[in-house]
């Protein structure tokens, strides 16, 4: 081996010893100087290390999924790259970061790792071209009966996704009881542009509701065809722009609105909201089976108003206990989580400040944020796992 600066052909150790003797440099220092000058970290080595890190929900490695972007290696052996998530609301981001950092640091001579984050929400592949809607995923939030807090769950899922950085729309399809404008503190829509309605903007969420199109207190007595027309107008005549997620708050029950929506808008999936009590579970089961009949995937079940934490530290199960989990097991659905009772949810809903905004660190807000993350993760898994092939039957 020829060592630059010494000119001698010798073995590795002998060469460095000769170099050290000639320049009066200690042997260890000579070896360190040579390594710093001649040893390089390659992108191939970094990618090989990262190919061993699995995306926990997709069960494929980060390199195969093309999640590693902008990989750079600085002269001081600092490695930088961006991890492109499938949703900004990724619930396992911490685990991915830890394993990716450990993998890169295991590469010889790497001194430190800088990780940046970005996201590219996948399209579920469902054809919405007839509506001219650049919406990547549409998620319905429904329930079998009223009074279970369905709209509250829908609003806070939308807020949580928007807070994570996603582009979110919220359509209040609860035509008979449009309460979402109150929950978001919106009183009117912006002026229309030509024949197109412009959605209101609150907490970075684009929102449309029949409550903003009729006089306060005006009764909405609509037959099926009128209801179907209203829902189609909310979809086709509103300038939504490009959205990662459109959250649709459905009216309770299994009536015309749910059927009209499923027919007009291909849904990525549905979230079912229930209380722990038996009556609510029976109705929620009917709503769940309705979506399955319409071939809408069930993303999971949310048990709202699960319990009340008392000042003395005890817990009161006002509406029973464990019903949501039992329904999920019985229907082979995902259980997304429990949401406790908190008077600040009601106060925030009345004042136009959702709990994720007014008390973001409260147990209720944490539960709802976790639910939103699980929903986003499941939508991404389904979108990336789907073949999205258009079947064509050839008749000979």
């Amino acid at each position: 081996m020829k060592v630059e600066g010494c000119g001698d052909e010798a073995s590795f150790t002998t060469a460095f010893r000769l170099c050290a003797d000639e320049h009066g440099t200690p042997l260890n220092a000579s070896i360190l100087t040579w390594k710093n000058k001649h040893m390089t970290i390659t992108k191939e080595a970094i990618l090989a290390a990262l190919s061993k890190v699995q995306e926990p929900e997709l069960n494929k490695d980060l390199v195969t999924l093309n999640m590693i972007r902008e990989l750079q290696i600085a002269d001081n052996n600092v490695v930088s790259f961006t991890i492109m998530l499938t949703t900004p609301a990724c619930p396992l981001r911490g685990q991915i970061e830890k394993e990716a950092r450990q993998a890169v640091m295991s590469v010889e001579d790497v001194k430190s790792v800088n990780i940046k984050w970005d996201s590219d929400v996948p399209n579920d592949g469902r054809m919405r071209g007839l509506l001219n809607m650049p919406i990547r995923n549409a998620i319905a939030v429904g329930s079998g009966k009223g009074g279970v807090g369905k709209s509250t769950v829908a609003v806070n899922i939308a807020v949580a996704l928007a807070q994570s950085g996603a582009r979110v729309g919220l359509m209040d399809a609860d035509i008979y009881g449009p309460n979402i404008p109150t929950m978001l503190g919106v009183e009117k829509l912006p002026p229309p542009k030509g024949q197109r309605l412009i959605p209101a903007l609150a907490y970075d969420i684009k929102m449309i509701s029949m409550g903003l199109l009729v006089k306060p207190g005006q009764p909405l007595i609509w037959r099926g065809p009128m209801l179907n027309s209203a829902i189609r107008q909310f979809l086709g005549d509103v300038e939504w722009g490009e959205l990662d997620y459109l959250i649709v708050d459905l009216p309770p029950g299994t009536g015309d609105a749910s059927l009209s929506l499923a027919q007009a808008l291909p849904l990525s999936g549905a979230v079912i909201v229930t209380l722990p009590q038996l009556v609510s579970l029976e109705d929620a089961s009917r709503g769940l089976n309705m979506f399955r009949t319409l071939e809408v995937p069930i993303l999971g079940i949310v048990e709202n108003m699960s319990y009340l934490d008392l000042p003395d530290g005890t817990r009161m199960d006002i509406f029973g206990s464990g019903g949501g989990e039992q329904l999920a097991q019985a229907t082979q659905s995902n259980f997304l989580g429990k949401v406790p009772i908190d008077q600040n949810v009601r106060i925030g809903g009345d004042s136009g400040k959702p709990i994720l905004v007014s008390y973001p660190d409260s147990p209720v807000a944490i539960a709802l944020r976790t639910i939103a993350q699980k929903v986003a993760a499941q939508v991404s898994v389904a979108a990336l796992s789907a073949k999205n092939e258009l079947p064509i039957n050839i008749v000979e």
Side-chain angles (χ1 to χ4, degrees), residues 22-319:
E22 180 178 340
H23 298 289
T25 306
L27 178 60
N28 291 339
S30 295
I31 296 176
L32 182 60
T33 300
W34 187 89
K35 286 184 66 178
N36 286 340
K37 189 172 182 179
H38 294 274
M39 297 293 286
T40 58
I41 304 169
T42 64
K43 290 186 177 181
E44 289 74 16
I46 300 300
L47 291 174
L50 289 170
S51 67
K52 300 176 182 178
V53 179
Q54 296 282 307
E55 208 288 340
E57 290 172 317
L58 297 173
N59 295 319
K60 293 182 180 180
D61 68 87
L62 303 185
V63 177
T64 300
L65 291 170
N66 195 29
M67 293 175 65
I68 305 301
R69 311 284 179 88
E70 301 172 347
L71 174 59
Q72 295 181 346
I73 303 171
D75 292 338
N76 58 353
N77 290 358
V78 175
V79 178
S80 303
F81 56 91
T82 297
I83 297 180
M84 186 69 70
L85 299 172
T86 58
T87 172
C90 178
L92 299 174
R93 172 171 164 169
Q95 177 182 339
I96 295 173
E97 178 178 7
K98 178 182 177 181
E99 294 180 3
R101 191 178 298 277
Q102 289 177 343
V104 175
M105 287 300 298
S106 68
V107 177
E108 187 177 2
D109 295 324
V110 172
K111 290 186 177 180
S112 64
V113 180
N114 293 329
I115 300 178
K116 297 180 181 179
W117 298 93
D118 202 347
S119 63
D120 184 16
V121 178
N123 193 313
D124 63 5
R126 299 174 187 269
M127 300 178 68
R128 302 187 179 95
L130 294 178
L131 293 170
N132 192 27
M133 298 180 67
I135 294 172
R136 299 191 176 194
N137 301 279
I139 302 167
V141 180
S143 65
K145 66 187 297 292
V148 301
K150 167 186 56 61
S151 295
T152 297
V153 172
V155 165
N156 282 282
I157 286 178
V159 171
L161 293 174
Q163 288 178 342
S164 74
R167 298 167 295 183
V168 182
L170 177 58
M171 190 178 92
D172 187 358
D174 192 348
I175 302 296
Y176 302 117
N179 298 317
I180 284 182
T182 300
M183 293 182 174
L184 291 178
V186 176
E187 297 181 353
K188 61 180 180 180
L189 290 174
K193 289 185 178 180
Q195 300 298 316
R196 308 280 292 175
L197 292 173
I198 305 301
L201 187 65
Y203 307 108
D204 292 325
I205 300 168
K206 295 179 179 179
M207 184 271 290
I208 193 73
S209 171
M210 185 57 65
L212 299 173
L213 299 174
V214 298
K215 296 178 181 179
Q218 178 180 336
L220 296 172
I221 307 172
W222 292 26
R223 295 184 182 274
M226 297 172 63
L227 188 65
N228 180 62
S229 176
I231 289 178
R232 285 185 176 274
Q233 282 188 293
F234 275 2
L235 294 172
D237 295 342
V238 175
E239 196 66 40
W240 289 107
E242 188 167 354
L243 298 176
D244 294 318
Y245 306 99
L246 175 65
I247 310 299
V248 184
D249 179 38
L250 289 174
T254 57
D256 288 342
S258 300
L259 179 61
S260 297
L261 178 71
Q263 291 175 335
L265 177 68
L267 293 168
S268 308
V271 174
I272 306 298
V273 182
T274 184
L275 300 184
Q277 69 189 93
L278 180 60
V279 173
S280 179
L281 294 175
E282 292 174 349
D283 292 330
S285 178
R286 294 188 186 96
L288 185 150
N289 289 324
M290 175 202 67
F291 282 115
R292 283 186 170 167
T293 301
L294 296 172
E295 298 184 349
V296 175
I298 304 300
L299 298 174
I301 296 171
V302 175
E303 184 182 285
N304 195 27
M305 306 183 208
S306 295
Y307 54 86
L308 175 65
D309 284 326
L310 301 176
D312 62 0
T314 60
R315 178 171 293 181
M316 179 181 293
D317 297 320
I318 297 177
F319 297 108

